[in-house]
Amino acid sequence: YGAKRGRHGFEVWAPDADTGSRTRLQTLEDLRVALDAEQLDNHYQPKLDLHTGRVTGVEALVRWQHPERGLLAPGAFLPLAEQAGLMRRLALQVLERAIRDLRDWRATGHFLSMAVNLSVSNLQDVALPEQVRFLLDTYGVPADALVLEITEDVLMADAARSQQVMAALRRLGVRLSIDDYGTGYSSLAYLRALPVDELKLDRSFVSSLTTDAKAAAIVRSTLQLSRDLGMTMVVEGVEDEAALDALRRWNCDVAQGYHIARPMPADQLVSWLAGRPADAVVS
Ligand code: C2E
Ligand code: MG
Ligand code: MG
Ligand code: MG
């Protein structure tokens, strides 16, 4: 998994294949403009509770509606934002939009939780917990409805500082999740030491779940581990019914993936939810 690890680590700060230095500079300038003009938008991907069959939460995934290049996925601009020191602004925009949308959905009876991804620099930012608290207060959203997803690589950058930030977030009542679990520096010591509520197993294990006995064994033993640690296990990247069936049989808690729903804009999520039987709607 060496190559993959770079996605959230320092290696990704090398220029992308498609960005020579000039394009890179251009993209950076565009990104500053985009942040000023709020051209970034959140898409939301549902999380399905396998015990109840209900959608109980969503994950916010940032998108950039670029005026010339069209809709860009995070891989096309997050590394640059991280390198250019724009991640605090970006994270605050994503968080505010996510919490505001969550407030709106909850006001109409959709008592969902909201997961937001954080980067290496976000977890080094000691001002972050106070900003999160401010946003939760401003929109009147309970802290335990917010899940912050962090990758294992985050913990390697400056473990002491990121653990301090995590502890402060946890004191607010926000829940913490380890994203892409199993692909980074998965030290079992971290699982014991960190105040984490959820494990999110990387999709690479899920894609071969039904064809590769080793992948299946890893999924099942991680399920057992999360259960024994009192954590919720989320499996991401569920792309077919066979995988979903196996996960149900193995008593997995939560699943996410294209087979359930793709990430979608906020207004589409509302109609998607409306098209499901009674789902997550509590009167
Ligand atoms: P992630 O948090 O692990 O999110 C899952 C990614 O897998 C998303 O890609 C999602 O669209 C994709 N995905 C979901 N279901 C499936 C599936 O069944 N099959 C496949 N092949 N893919 C699936 P996306 O939106 O391109 O995001 C990529 C990564 O960018 C995210 O990985 C996350 O690490 C990062 N990211 C996204 N939004 C933010 C953000 O607001 N802040 C930060 N710091 N990172 C973000
Ligand atoms: Mg995530
Ligand atoms: Mg992930
Ligand atoms: Mg990821």
Side-chain angles (χ1 to χ4, degrees), residues 43-48 55-61 98 101-102 105 112-116 145 147 149 200 256 264 269 272-273:
H43 281 196
Y44 297 102
Q45 186 178 33
K47 293 164 92 171
L48 182 68
V55 171
T56 50
V58 297
E59 175 180 8
L61 295 158
D101 285 340
L102 187 64
W105 297 330
L112 301 168
S113 65
M114 172 65 70
V116 175
V147 182
E149 297 189 2
K200 205 164 173 185
Q256 206 181 354
M264 58 189 112
L269 180 83
W272 186 84
L273 284 172

mmCIF file of all heavy atoms in Angstrom, residues 43-48 55-61 98 101-102 105 112-116 145 147 149 200 256 264 269 272-273:
data_model
loop_
_atom_site.group_PDB
_atom_site.id
_atom_site.type_symbol
_atom_site.label_atom_id
_atom_site.label_comp_id
_atom_site.label_asym_id
_atom_site.label_seq_id
_atom_site.Cartn_x
_atom_site.Cartn_y
_atom_site.Cartn_z
ATOM 1 N N HIS A 43 -20.684 17.627 -1.805
ATOM 2 C CA HIS A 43 -21.596 16.558 -2.174
ATOM 3 C C HIS A 43 -21.719 15.663 -0.944
ATOM 4 O O HIS A 43 -20.867 15.696 -0.061
ATOM 5 C CB HIS A 43 -21.080 15.793 -3.388
ATOM 6 C CG HIS A 43 -21.347 16.511 -4.676
ATOM 7 N ND1 HIS A 43 -21.265 15.905 -5.905
ATOM 8 C CD2 HIS A 43 -21.691 17.793 -4.922
ATOM 9 C CE1 HIS A 43 -21.568 16.780 -6.859
ATOM 10 N NE2 HIS A 43 -21.817 17.941 -6.288
ATOM 11 N N TYR A 44 -22.800 14.896 -0.891
ATOM 12 C CA TYR A 44 -23.045 14.079 0.289
ATOM 13 C C TYR A 44 -23.313 12.648 -0.117
ATOM 14 O O TYR A 44 -24.128 12.387 -0.999
ATOM 15 C CB TYR A 44 -24.240 14.637 1.075
ATOM 16 C CG TYR A 44 -23.983 16.032 1.600
ATOM 17 C CD1 TYR A 44 -24.523 17.147 0.962
ATOM 18 C CD2 TYR A 44 -23.166 16.240 2.705
ATOM 19 C CE1 TYR A 44 -24.264 18.437 1.426
ATOM 20 C CE2 TYR A 44 -22.901 17.517 3.171
ATOM 21 C CZ TYR A 44 -23.450 18.615 2.529
ATOM 22 O OH TYR A 44 -23.176 19.880 2.980
ATOM 23 N N GLN A 45 -22.608 11.718 0.538
ATOM 24 C CA GLN A 45 -22.836 10.295 0.259
ATOM 25 C C GLN A 45 -23.470 9.636 1.484
ATOM 26 O O GLN A 45 -22.929 9.709 2.591
ATOM 27 C CB GLN A 45 -21.527 9.591 -0.096
ATOM 28 C CG GLN A 45 -21.783 8.148 -0.539
ATOM 29 C CD GLN A 45 -20.517 7.409 -0.942
ATOM 30 O OE1 GLN A 45 -19.442 7.645 -0.403
ATOM 31 N NE2 GLN A 45 -20.672 6.494 -1.900
ATOM 32 N N PRO A 46 -24.621 8.990 1.293
ATOM 33 C CA PRO A 46 -25.330 8.350 2.412
ATOM 34 C C PRO A 46 -24.542 7.216 3.056
ATOM 35 O O PRO A 46 -23.748 6.540 2.409
ATOM 36 C CB PRO A 46 -26.602 7.801 1.747
ATOM 37 C CG PRO A 46 -26.799 8.618 0.532
ATOM 38 C CD PRO A 46 -25.412 8.930 0.051
ATOM 39 N N LYS A 47 -24.786 7.027 4.348
ATOM 40 C CA LYS A 47 -24.253 5.889 5.110
ATOM 41 C C LYS A 47 -25.440 5.061 5.588
ATOM 42 O O LYS A 47 -26.342 5.590 6.220
ATOM 43 C CB LYS A 47 -23.445 6.390 6.316
ATOM 44 C CG LYS A 47 -22.155 7.114 5.923
ATOM 45 C CD LYS A 47 -21.602 7.927 7.077
ATOM 46 C CE LYS A 47 -20.618 7.141 7.903
ATOM 47 N NZ LYS A 47 -19.922 8.035 8.899
ATOM 48 N N LEU A 48 -25.413 3.783 5.253
ATOM 49 C CA LEU A 48 -26.547 2.904 5.543
ATOM 50 C C LEU A 48 -26.281 2.075 6.802
ATOM 51 O O LEU A 48 -25.281 1.348 6.881
ATOM 52 C CB LEU A 48 -26.760 1.971 4.347
ATOM 53 C CG LEU A 48 -27.934 0.997 4.424
ATOM 54 C CD1 LEU A 48 -29.267 1.727 4.368
ATOM 55 C CD2 LEU A 48 -27.843 -0.025 3.284
ATOM 56 N N VAL A 55 -30.857 4.948 6.441
ATOM 57 C CA VAL A 55 -29.753 5.874 6.233
ATOM 58 C C VAL A 55 -29.688 6.766 7.463
ATOM 59 O O VAL A 55 -30.632 7.491 7.765
ATOM 60 C CB VAL A 55 -29.964 6.713 4.958
ATOM 61 C CG1 VAL A 55 -28.924 7.814 4.856
ATOM 62 C CG2 VAL A 55 -29.907 5.805 3.744
ATOM 63 N N THR A 56 -28.601 6.678 8.185
ATOM 64 C CA THR A 56 -28.524 7.421 9.439
ATOM 65 C C THR A 56 -27.539 8.580 9.367
ATOM 66 O O THR A 56 -27.444 9.366 10.302
ATOM 67 C CB THR A 56 -28.104 6.492 10.594
ATOM 68 O OG1 THR A 56 -26.945 5.781 10.182
ATOM 69 C CG2 THR A 56 -29.222 5.524 10.922
ATOM 70 N N GLY A 57 -26.816 8.665 8.271
ATOM 71 C CA GLY A 57 -25.862 9.757 8.169
ATOM 72 C C GLY A 57 -25.371 9.933 6.754
ATOM 73 O O GLY A 57 -25.708 9.151 5.854
ATOM 74 N N VAL A 58 -24.588 10.988 6.553
ATOM 75 C CA VAL A 58 -23.957 11.235 5.259
ATOM 76 C C VAL A 58 -22.520 11.677 5.494
ATOM 77 O O VAL A 58 -22.164 12.111 6.587
ATOM 78 C CB VAL A 58 -24.686 12.341 4.442
ATOM 79 C CG1 VAL A 58 -26.104 11.924 4.097
ATOM 80 C CG2 VAL A 58 -24.670 13.675 5.181
ATOM 81 N N GLU A 59 -21.718 11.556 4.439
ATOM 82 C CA GLU A 59 -20.357 12.091 4.474
ATOM 83 C C GLU A 59 -20.254 13.227 3.470
ATOM 84 O O GLU A 59 -20.697 13.090 2.325
ATOM 85 C CB GLU A 59 -19.338 10.998 4.113
ATOM 86 C CG GLU A 59 -17.898 11.529 4.021
ATOM 87 C CD GLU A 59 -16.864 10.456 3.674
ATOM 88 O OE1 GLU A 59 -17.269 9.315 3.354
ATOM 89 O OE2 GLU A 59 -15.665 10.778 3.736
ATOM 90 N N ALA A 60 -19.694 14.346 3.907
ATOM 91 C CA ALA A 60 -19.477 15.485 3.012
ATOM 92 C C ALA A 60 -18.193 15.260 2.217
ATOM 93 O O ALA A 60 -17.153 14.931 2.790
ATOM 94 C CB ALA A 60 -19.355 16.772 3.828
ATOM 95 N N LEU A 61 -18.277 15.412 0.905
ATOM 96 C CA LEU A 61 -17.114 15.277 0.030
ATOM 97 C C LEU A 61 -17.033 16.535 -0.829
ATOM 98 O O LEU A 61 -17.961 16.838 -1.583
ATOM 99 C CB LEU A 61 -17.238 14.010 -0.825
ATOM 100 C CG LEU A 61 -17.197 12.707 -0.003
ATOM 101 C CD1 LEU A 61 -17.833 11.548 -0.742
ATOM 102 C CD2 LEU A 61 -15.753 12.364 0.405
ATOM 103 N N ALA A 98 -21.597 22.063 5.614
ATOM 104 C CA ALA A 98 -22.086 20.757 6.075
ATOM 105 C C ALA A 98 -22.998 20.913 7.298
ATOM 106 O O ALA A 98 -24.065 20.305 7.376
ATOM 107 C CB ALA A 98 -20.907 19.837 6.407
ATOM 108 N N ASP A 101 -26.289 22.618 6.225
ATOM 109 C CA ASP A 101 -27.177 21.666 5.541
ATOM 110 C C ASP A 101 -27.764 20.672 6.543
ATOM 111 O O ASP A 101 -28.947 20.338 6.476
ATOM 112 C CB ASP A 101 -26.430 20.916 4.437
ATOM 113 C CG ASP A 101 -26.193 21.797 3.201
ATOM 114 O OD1 ASP A 101 -26.913 22.803 3.046
ATOM 115 O OD2 ASP A 101 -25.286 21.479 2.406
ATOM 116 N N LEU A 102 -26.944 20.230 7.481
ATOM 117 C CA LEU A 102 -27.414 19.276 8.492
ATOM 118 C C LEU A 102 -28.531 19.912 9.330
ATOM 119 O O LEU A 102 -29.538 19.272 9.626
ATOM 120 C CB LEU A 102 -26.246 18.860 9.391
ATOM 121 C CG LEU A 102 -26.550 17.746 10.393
ATOM 122 C CD1 LEU A 102 -26.898 16.451 9.673
ATOM 123 C CD2 LEU A 102 -25.348 17.515 11.320
ATOM 124 N N TRP A 105 -31.716 19.799 7.301
ATOM 125 C CA TRP A 105 -32.309 18.459 7.206
ATOM 126 C C TRP A 105 -32.941 18.058 8.524
ATOM 127 O O TRP A 105 -34.038 17.490 8.550
ATOM 128 C CB TRP A 105 -31.260 17.427 6.790
ATOM 129 C CG TRP A 105 -30.696 17.689 5.433
ATOM 130 C CD1 TRP A 105 -31.334 18.294 4.380
ATOM 131 C CD2 TRP A 105 -29.365 17.406 4.979
ATOM 132 N NE1 TRP A 105 -30.481 18.380 3.314
ATOM 133 C CE2 TRP A 105 -29.287 17.844 3.639
ATOM 134 C CE3 TRP A 105 -28.251 16.797 5.562
ATOM 135 C CZ2 TRP A 105 -28.124 17.705 2.873
ATOM 136 C CZ3 TRP A 105 -27.102 16.655 4.807
ATOM 137 C CH2 TRP A 105 -27.037 17.107 3.472
ATOM 138 N N LEU A 112 -30.078 13.038 10.682
ATOM 139 C CA LEU A 112 -28.871 12.405 10.180
ATOM 140 C C LEU A 112 -27.657 12.836 10.990
ATOM 141 O O LEU A 112 -27.699 13.832 11.706
ATOM 142 C CB LEU A 112 -28.657 12.828 8.721
ATOM 143 C CG LEU A 112 -29.775 12.477 7.741
ATOM 144 C CD1 LEU A 112 -29.558 13.203 6.418
ATOM 145 C CD2 LEU A 112 -29.832 10.969 7.527
ATOM 146 N N SER A 113 -26.576 12.078 10.855
ATOM 147 C CA SER A 113 -25.282 12.560 11.332
ATOM 148 C C SER A 113 -24.495 13.019 10.107
ATOM 149 O O SER A 113 -24.817 12.663 8.980
ATOM 150 C CB SER A 113 -24.534 11.462 12.074
ATOM 151 O OG SER A 113 -24.219 10.411 11.183
ATOM 152 N N MET A 114 -23.485 13.826 10.357
ATOM 153 C CA MET A 114 -22.676 14.388 9.276
ATOM 154 C C MET A 114 -21.209 14.059 9.506
ATOM 155 O O MET A 114 -20.666 14.369 10.563
ATOM 156 C CB MET A 114 -22.844 15.915 9.268
ATOM 157 C CG MET A 114 -21.927 16.666 8.324
ATOM 158 S SD MET A 114 -22.224 16.317 6.578
ATOM 159 C CE MET A 114 -23.815 17.116 6.331
ATOM 160 N N ALA A 115 -20.586 13.419 8.513
ATOM 161 C CA ALA A 115 -19.148 13.159 8.594
ATOM 162 C C ALA A 115 -18.403 14.150 7.706
ATOM 163 O O ALA A 115 -18.815 14.403 6.571
ATOM 164 C CB ALA A 115 -18.840 11.729 8.161
ATOM 165 N N VAL A 116 -17.332 14.723 8.241
ATOM 166 C CA VAL A 116 -16.496 15.653 7.477
ATOM 167 C C VAL A 116 -15.048 15.175 7.562
ATOM 168 O O VAL A 116 -14.580 14.776 8.630
ATOM 169 C CB VAL A 116 -16.626 17.098 8.026
ATOM 170 C CG1 VAL A 116 -15.673 18.043 7.307
ATOM 171 C CG2 VAL A 116 -18.069 17.598 7.895
ATOM 172 N N ALA A 145 -23.748 14.808 16.572
ATOM 173 C CA ALA A 145 -24.211 14.562 15.203
ATOM 174 C C ALA A 145 -23.077 14.775 14.199
ATOM 175 O O ALA A 145 -23.239 14.523 13.006
ATOM 176 C CB ALA A 145 -25.391 15.472 14.858
ATOM 177 N N VAL A 147 -19.290 13.852 12.891
ATOM 178 C CA VAL A 147 -18.211 12.872 12.909
ATOM 179 C C VAL A 147 -17.057 13.463 12.108
ATOM 180 O O VAL A 147 -17.262 13.912 10.983
ATOM 181 C CB VAL A 147 -18.648 11.544 12.242
ATOM 182 C CG1 VAL A 147 -17.529 10.511 12.311
ATOM 183 C CG2 VAL A 147 -19.924 11.009 12.867
ATOM 184 N N GLU A 149 -13.607 12.683 10.223
ATOM 185 C CA GLU A 149 -12.835 11.563 9.695
ATOM 186 C C GLU A 149 -11.381 11.971 9.504
ATOM 187 O O GLU A 149 -11.093 12.965 8.844
ATOM 188 C CB GLU A 149 -13.424 11.082 8.362
ATOM 189 C CG GLU A 149 -14.829 10.538 8.502
ATOM 190 C CD GLU A 149 -15.320 9.863 7.215
ATOM 191 O OE1 GLU A 149 -14.568 9.776 6.226
ATOM 192 O OE2 GLU A 149 -16.482 9.417 7.222
ATOM 193 N N LYS A 200 -13.231 3.117 9.882
ATOM 194 C CA LYS A 200 -13.770 3.078 8.535
ATOM 195 C C LYS A 200 -12.792 2.324 7.651
ATOM 196 O O LYS A 200 -11.767 2.857 7.228
ATOM 197 C CB LYS A 200 -13.948 4.521 8.053
ATOM 198 C CG LYS A 200 -14.984 4.648 7.016
ATOM 199 C CD LYS A 200 -15.414 6.072 6.843
ATOM 200 C CE LYS A 200 -16.339 6.139 5.661
ATOM 201 N NZ LYS A 200 -16.709 7.511 5.368
ATOM 202 N N GLN A 256 -21.229 1.995 3.106
ATOM 203 C CA GLN A 256 -21.254 3.162 2.237
ATOM 204 C C GLN A 256 -20.662 2.730 0.909
ATOM 205 O O GLN A 256 -19.739 1.916 0.885
ATOM 206 C CB GLN A 256 -20.369 4.227 2.896
ATOM 207 C CG GLN A 256 -20.697 5.642 2.563
ATOM 208 C CD GLN A 256 -19.729 6.606 3.246
ATOM 209 O OE1 GLN A 256 -18.886 6.196 4.046
ATOM 210 N NE2 GLN A 256 -19.839 7.860 2.915
ATOM 211 N N MET A 264 -23.808 13.044 -3.837
ATOM 212 C CA MET A 264 -24.727 13.888 -4.623
ATOM 213 C C MET A 264 -24.881 15.261 -3.969
ATOM 214 O O MET A 264 -24.627 15.417 -2.773
ATOM 215 C CB MET A 264 -26.087 13.193 -4.744
ATOM 216 C CG MET A 264 -26.747 12.882 -3.409
ATOM 217 S SD MET A 264 -28.209 11.831 -3.623
ATOM 218 C CE MET A 264 -27.654 10.302 -2.845
ATOM 219 N N LEU A 269 -29.948 14.991 -2.394
ATOM 220 C CA LEU A 269 -29.997 14.086 -1.246
ATOM 221 C C LEU A 269 -31.387 14.084 -0.632
ATOM 222 O O LEU A 269 -31.934 13.040 -0.282
ATOM 223 C CB LEU A 269 -28.959 14.463 -0.182
ATOM 224 C CG LEU A 269 -29.012 13.505 1.012
ATOM 225 C CD1 LEU A 269 -28.217 12.243 0.748
ATOM 226 C CD2 LEU A 269 -28.584 14.158 2.300
ATOM 227 N N TRP A 272 -33.610 12.069 -2.765
ATOM 228 C CA TRP A 272 -33.205 10.655 -2.656
ATOM 229 C C TRP A 272 -33.739 10.048 -1.351
ATOM 230 O O TRP A 272 -34.288 8.941 -1.341
ATOM 231 C CB TRP A 272 -31.678 10.550 -2.713
ATOM 232 C CG TRP A 272 -31.165 9.131 -2.742
ATOM 233 C CD1 TRP A 272 -31.026 8.332 -3.840
ATOM 234 C CD2 TRP A 272 -30.736 8.350 -1.611
ATOM 235 N NE1 TRP A 272 -30.525 7.105 -3.459
ATOM 236 C CE2 TRP A 272 -30.342 7.082 -2.112
ATOM 237 C CE3 TRP A 272 -30.643 8.595 -0.243
ATOM 238 C CZ2 TRP A 272 -29.865 6.071 -1.284
ATOM 239 C CZ3 TRP A 272 -30.169 7.581 0.584
ATOM 240 C CH2 TRP A 272 -29.786 6.337 0.062
ATOM 241 N N LEU A 273 -33.617 10.795 -0.271
ATOM 242 C CA LEU A 273 -34.132 10.316 1.014
ATOM 243 C C LEU A 273 -35.652 10.156 0.960
ATOM 244 O O LEU A 273 -36.202 9.185 1.475
ATOM 245 C CB LEU A 273 -33.774 11.292 2.141
ATOM 246 C CG LEU A 273 -32.336 11.289 2.659
ATOM 247 C CD1 LEU A 273 -32.131 12.439 3.621
ATOM 248 C CD2 LEU A 273 -31.988 9.963 3.320
#
